[in-house]
Amino acid sequence: MKTNCLLCGIGGQGTVLASTLISTAALYQKLEVKASDTIGMAQRGGSVVSHVRFGKKIHSSLISDGEADVLIAFEPAEAVRHLHYLKKGGTVIVCTRPVIPVASALAHSYETNVLLHYLHENAENVIEVDMKKESNRNINIKLLATAVKSGGLGLSEESLRYAVEKAMPEKSKKAALHLLDEFFGA
Amino acid sequence: MGKRILTGNNAIAFGALTAGVNVVCGYPGTPSTEILETIADHKDSSVYVEWSANGKAALEVAAGASIAGARTMVALKQSGLNDASDSVLTLAYMGIKGGMVIVSADDAGPHASHTEQDTRSFAALSRIPIFDPSSPEEAYEMIGEAFRVSELYGTPVILRPTTRVCLGKSAVFVRRRVPHVPTGFEKDPKKWVPYPKNAHINHIKIEKRNPIIADMFSELKYNSISGRGKIGVAVSGISCGYVREALEGVTNVRIFTVGTPYPFPEKKALEFLRSVKKVLVIEELDPVIERELTYLCGKHGLKKQISGKLDGAMPIAGEYTPKIVSDAIGRFVFGIEPEAKQEEALPVLPVRTPTLCAGCPHRASLYAVKQALKGKKYVCGGDVGCSLLGSAAPLEMIDTCLSLGAGITLSQGIHRIQPDTLNVAFMGDSSFFATGFSGIVNATHNEADLLVCILDNSASALTGQQPHPGSGMTMMGSDKSGIDIEAVLRSLGLSYVKTIDPMMLDEAIDAVRAAADVKGVRAIVFKSPCAAIAKPTKKFYVSGSCVACKKCIRELGCPAILIYDDVVRIDSSICNGCGLCAQICQIHTIKEYV
């Protein structure tokens, strides 16, 4: 049994921390884990992905096309861009708040509804996560909690809490735990 | 300490700490930066750690400590090793006393480099033994083995992770530190002074020694043969996992894993070659193993098919993926052509090019130069680092770039051929101290005519805001005032030196205009801290009087300025409050929150 989780978003949104949290939660469940993040210039606002794989025996950290059980997208266009990784019957968790580069805005070429429609047309399970402005900073926690709740990751709420305690930077830990309380009901 | 999720960079640092490393030096560079930072975060008082001024300094400080008996590690990316190479090649002949491991991270892809060079080839050039880890957990183990080999044979040893190993994460079991007490430097000119005569003797020594190391390597677990059958796959580095995955459940393929590619473990390789009919070599970057196996076949009269990069069975450039590897194995082992994938028609997706951060002082500096030189004929030499992002639209202010601190010297060359052009050289502050300084010395000494623009944001920004000689902080915790760039420039006798704050746009433009009109080597230091360090003290917004002329968007390209349905607004969660947009707004509609 292997679980493949692909995270995608825009440099600076927190995909790297999210992949560490999933890895730590999987380690807590005594699974072997391998993960890999995009780095370099892309971290300055480029399109980024993180691969996380866990299970009894994991040989490599990269997920191939059509093999992701769960796609966690921090942004709608990035969800569409990386949907080819999702396997048949896999789950998409997508934050519906768009991040529109100026060039796309000037050309009026970014259409959130079209992108979300495409996701629903091409994936069986799509869970939309609405981001209210005040919770921007905890986008990763809300997405991870949703992914855990969906059951697609095979990780428990307890494991996610453990990961937050263990791997979240001290300054944002309290807010993250509070968000988990709210989400799962303390 | 138990099992924990570590990146390869973390694992290398913990491996060195476990092995009793005493001194760690490095220069920041993706993908190796976090090695040294992890050491600094987890070391005890017996370990000395520094960000050196450049890769060469890092290598030499570590070499000095090593010949004084300390265990040392140098943490660099491949280009840092290039910078250090003059000393590395001599050190290979001279040898060391305390174990010395040079980590040189290669970047297949490349993700964050200007070349796809292979440190395994550098190991062969320098005659230095090299370890090539396939995962973070193996990197952790190999560091200890590398120190052992280094001390046993009195030679520096290279550890060469690639990007996916450095940044990959897995659970690593971290063991307790075994302390090492340095014995001190013992004078011995025959050993420690590389006279040409000594060099000749040492050359013979290392050429005789390396076959002995190769035989020892043949016995190491990192060079192993598994599986059975007449079809072979030889593999190294991160691809090992891809091969194991592609061949999961397949038993009739023999796999030769190479973890120490130089000196090549010939005995093990021969054992493998003799047992198979044909071999597919799967290795990123240079065809090192492929050439070694081909050579061995010739040397021993073996008729085997060796496939890989050289016969087109594998891609010659770029990073390998599980798909590339499984397709190649499918073709080579089972004769199956991969199915052609149907391209799905996607909705229109935004192009996301990396950009300078909101509030980045480089944007203001580059913009000021652009405005000041409007209508003039000029060429801009650039630097590696964040400011290179200024080559993209809408700033388009970097015309050429070569390596760390090279913009200044490139510009000198261009100016010799095209003297009617104003040459501008942009240089980061970390680059100034690393290598750019000597380029300015070259310019003043040889009476060049150009304008140097030093972008001083008090950090090595692109790699994560590491401190440097100008910022004053050290990794050992001292926090003095840094070396003053303007004072250094004045001491070099430039014809014009001025430090300005690029966020004061009008003054900055005036300073550039004044400097442009002077002859000789002149410099402007644009001093303002990196937006990732400086906490924003203000926020700006677009007031109701905006006429959507879009000047701010067309000219600055700040990621905080958004437009939707022809309404311009500033995303306050992104805005860093630099106020550059407010300064260029013609109708003063961008205002500060009060």
Side-chain angles (χ1 to χ4, degrees):
Chain A
M1 180 54 194
K2 269 179 210 164
T3 305
N4 294 331
C5 175
L6 193 97
L7 300 114
C8 61
I10 295 145
Q13 281 188 314
T15 49
V16 174
L17 176 62
S19 94
T20 302
L21 291 172
I22 295 177
S23 302
T24 308
L27 181 66
Y28 181 72
Q29 294 191 193
K30 304 219 169 4
L31 299 168
E32 190 176 341
V33 190
K34 285 195 187 291
S36 194
D37 303 309
T38 314
I39 43 86
M41 283 266 183
Q43 287 171 307
R44 301 275 180 278
S47 166
V48 295
V49 287
S50 288
H51 303 241
V52 189
R53 310 184 68 201
F54 47 94
K56 272 189 106 163
K57 184 74 205 159
I58 302 294
H59 292 298
S60 82
S61 60
L62 294 186
I63 300 166
S64 294
D65 276 6
E67 287 191 349
D69 298 281
V70 179
L71 175 67
I72 300 180
F74 285 55
E75 204 272 346
E78 295 313 306
V80 172
R81 200 191 305 276
H82 297 99
L83 192 66
H84 60 93
Y85 280 105
L86 193 74
K87 77 163 161 205
K88 227 174 173 289
T91 303
V92 180
I93 318 281
V94 56
C95 172
T96 52
R97 181 173 177 267
V99 179
I100 307 172
V102 164
S104 306
L106 290 174
H108 299 284
S109 63
Y110 192 112
E111 292 177 90
T112 312
N113 289 339
V114 172
L115 296 167
L116 291 174
H117 180 74
Y118 180 87
L119 290 177
H120 285 284
E121 286 287 296
N122 290 280
E124 286 168 40
N125 315 308
V126 179
I127 304 174
E128 295 185 9
V129 176
D130 174 28
M131 275 294 148
K132 294 195 188 74
K133 211 177 167 194
E134 64 276 13
S135 57
N136 273 350
R137 285 177 52 163
N138 282 313
I139 171 172
N140 45 12
I141 297 298
K142 199 163 172 188
L143 287 169
L144 291 186
T146 308
V148 164
K149 202 172 180 181
S150 78
L153 290 175
L155 296 174
S156 67
E157 180 196 336
E158 185 192 332
S159 311
L160 181 59
R161 275 182 195 280
Y162 169 84
V164 168
E165 289 274 5
K166 188 92 178 169
M168 196 89 182
E170 221 41 65
K171 59 176 177 4
S172 32
K173 192 180 285 184
K174 212 177 141 190
L177 287 170
H178 181 70
L179 211 142
L180 287 183
D181 286 341
E182 253 177 36
F183 188 88
F184 290 107
Chain B
M1 289 203 268
K3 261 197 175 183
R4 54 167 98 178
I5 298 290
L6 295 182
T7 63
N9 282 338
N10 299 146
I12 289 166
F14 280 111
L17 288 172
T18 301
V21 76
N22 304 106
V23 171
V24 182
C25 306
Y27 188 77
T30 307
S32 63
T33 309
E34 296 80 11
I35 298 173
L36 194 133
E37 291 175 332
T38 308
I39 296 272
D41 287 345
H42 296 273
K43 72 181 191 63
D44 63 29
S45 58
S46 69
V47 182
Y48 172 78
V49 56
E50 72 168 40
W51 279 129
S52 308
N54 55 41
K56 185 167 184 285
L59 187 282
E60 290 154 1
V61 172
S66 182
I67 67 175
R71 286 194 182 143
T72 67
M73 182 166 75
V74 188
L76 301 168
K77 68 179 292 186
Q78 22 78 317
S79 44
L81 182 69
N82 294 346
D83 181 25
S85 61
D86 192 10
S87 289
V88 176
L89 291 163
T90 304
L91 188 68
Y93 275 32
M94 187 165 94
I96 46 83
K97 191 158 88 179
M100 178 168 179
V101 177
I102 302 166
V103 180
S104 171
D106 285 343
D107 188 15
H111 291 270
S113 304
H114 306 292
T115 66
E116 281 197 289
Q117 72 179 68
D118 192 324
T119 300
R120 296 178 304 162
S121 296
F122 188 96
L125 168 76
S126 60
R127 311 291 193 270
I128 296 177
I130 186 168
F131 286 75
D132 183 10
S134 64
S135 65
E137 52 272 43
E138 192 169 70
Y140 176 83
E141 296 295 332
M142 276 185 172
I143 281 278
E145 190 64 26
F147 274 110
R148 191 184 69 83
V149 170
S150 174
E151 283 179 7
L152 193 60
Y153 296 95
T155 176
V157 169
I158 300 173
L159 180 100
R160 184 295 292 250
T162 53
T163 302
R164 290 279 170 202
V165 174
C166 286
L167 282 304
K169 297 178 209 165
S170 32
V172 180
F173 191 88
V174 176
R175 292 189 304 274
R176 199 178 283 279
R177 175 171 166 81
V178 181
H180 170 79
V181 181
T183 47
F185 180 72
E186 288 166 74
K187 293 192 185 194
D188 180 0
K190 273 194 186 144
K191 173 107 185 92
W192 304 126
V193 184
Y195 296 118
K197 199 179 80 185
N198 292 349
H200 178 73
I201 297 166
N202 286 336
H203 188 191
I204 294 168
K205 261 192 211 165
I206 59 174
E207 296 295 356
K208 285 190 168 169
R209 175 205 68 198
N210 278 354
I212 299 170
I213 296 180
D215 285 353
M216 185 270 289
F217 277 174
S218 279
E219 304 301 319
L220 285 186
K221 66 174 177 185
Y222 306 116
N223 301 307
S224 64
I225 301 168
S226 62
R228 54 192 158 79
K230 293 286 172 198
I231 301 174
V233 170
V235 61
S236 73
I238 195 73
S239 303
C240 291
Y242 309 155
V243 167
R244 278 195 292 272
E245 197 161 79
L247 291 173
E248 210 166 22
V250 177
T251 51
N252 61 343
V253 176
R254 213 176 281 265
I255 304 172
F256 179 35
T257 306
V258 183
T260 63
Y262 183 85
F264 196 67
E266 283 194 17
K267 279 188 177 163
K268 200 75 179 177
L270 268 177
E271 183 191 331
F272 168 71
L273 280 175
R274 291 203 160 108
S275 67
V276 294
K277 280 189 181 150
K278 59 174 192 173
V279 180
L280 176 66
V281 186
I282 298 176
E283 58 186 326
E284 289 178 332
L285 304 170
D286 290 352
V288 170
I289 299 168
E290 189 180 353
R291 284 210 168 93
E292 289 285 359
L293 294 180
T294 307
Y295 159 77
L296 279 180
C297 286
K299 186 175 165 188
H300 295 274
L302 305 174
K303 260 191 106 173
K304 314 281 177 182
Q305 178 198 336
I306 309 293
S307 283
K309 290 173 184 282
L310 299 172
D311 69 350
M314 297 300 299
I316 48 169
E319 189 177 38
Y320 286 2
T321 61
K323 167 108 173 97
I324 289 172
V325 169
S326 66
D327 284 355
I329 287 181
R331 209 178 280 125
F332 188 81
V333 176
F334 308 111
I336 305 167
E337 277 302 314
E339 275 176 51
K341 213 191 131 200
Q342 285 178 337
E343 284 297 318
E344 191 103 17
L346 293 179
V348 180
L349 292 174
V351 178
R352 297 195 198 274
T353 44
T355 47
L356 293 167
C357 302
C360 175
H362 293 348
R363 176 180 293 104
S365 307
L366 294 163
Y367 185 74
V369 176
K370 188 171 184 171
Q371 294 306 309
L373 301 185
K374 230 178 212 171
K376 280 195 163 63
K377 187 178 172 188
Y378 64 94
V379 173
C380 298
D383 205 342
V384 299
C386 290
S387 62
L388 194 54
L389 293 170
S391 68
L395 291 166
E396 295 172 319
M397 280 301 283
I398 309 292
D399 298 311
T400 179
C401 164
L402 198 53
S403 64
L404 196 69
I408 168 93
T409 19
L410 267 181
S411 298
Q412 290 165 49
I414 294 171
H415 195 76
R416 296 288 168 206
I417 298 307
Q418 209 170 297
D420 64 333
T421 307
L422 171 64
N423 280 93
V424 182
F426 290 101
M427 184 188 296
D429 44 353
S430 189
S431 305
F432 172 79
F433 292 107
T435 53
F437 168 79
S438 60
I440 299 175
V441 170
N442 192 65
T444 50
H445 170 64
N446 290 304
E447 297 163 348
D449 179 25
L450 50 80
L451 170 59
V452 189
C453 294
I454 297 184
L455 306 175
D456 180 0
N457 59 1
S458 304
S460 307
L462 185 59
T463 45
Q465 299 85 43
Q466 287 76 23
H468 60 64
S471 60
M473 280 172 286
T474 71
M475 294 308 268
M476 293 301 283
S478 81
D479 192 4
K480 56 194 186 306
S481 59
I483 298 169
D484 181 349
I485 296 177
E486 182 177 331
V488 174
L489 291 171
R490 288 198 181 282
S491 74
L492 296 177
L494 271 61
S495 59
Y496 174 102
V497 182
K498 191 169 173 120
T499 299
I500 49 121
D501 178 355
M503 296 309 178
M504 311 293 280
L505 186 62
D506 291 340
E507 284 172 38
I509 293 172
D510 287 347
V512 177
R513 281 201 185 115
D517 291 339
V518 184
K519 283 283 157 204
V521 182
R522 55 271 197 210
I524 297 176
V525 182
F526 294 87
K527 196 169 174 58
S528 181
C530 171
I533 303 176
K535 288 239 179 310
T537 52
K538 319 176 222 184
K539 295 268 178 191
F540 287 81
Y541 70 100
V542 181
S543 68
S545 54
C546 175
V547 294
C549 74
K550 307 184 194 90
K551 182 182 188 216
C552 53
I553 290 174
R554 279 185 284 107
E555 297 190 0
L556 298 181
C558 173
I561 307 177
L562 310 175
I563 180 165
Y564 207 70
D565 287 340
D566 244 27
V567 177
V568 180
R569 64 179 189 88
I570 294 174
D571 183 333
S572 63
S573 72
I574 304 176
C575 175
N576 272 316
C578 74
L580 184 65
C581 54
Q583 293 179 64
I584 72 155
C585 178
Q586 282 154 320
I587 56 165
H588 308 291
T589 185
I590 299 178
K591 296 191 163 54
E592 187 185 338
Y593 279 113
V594 265

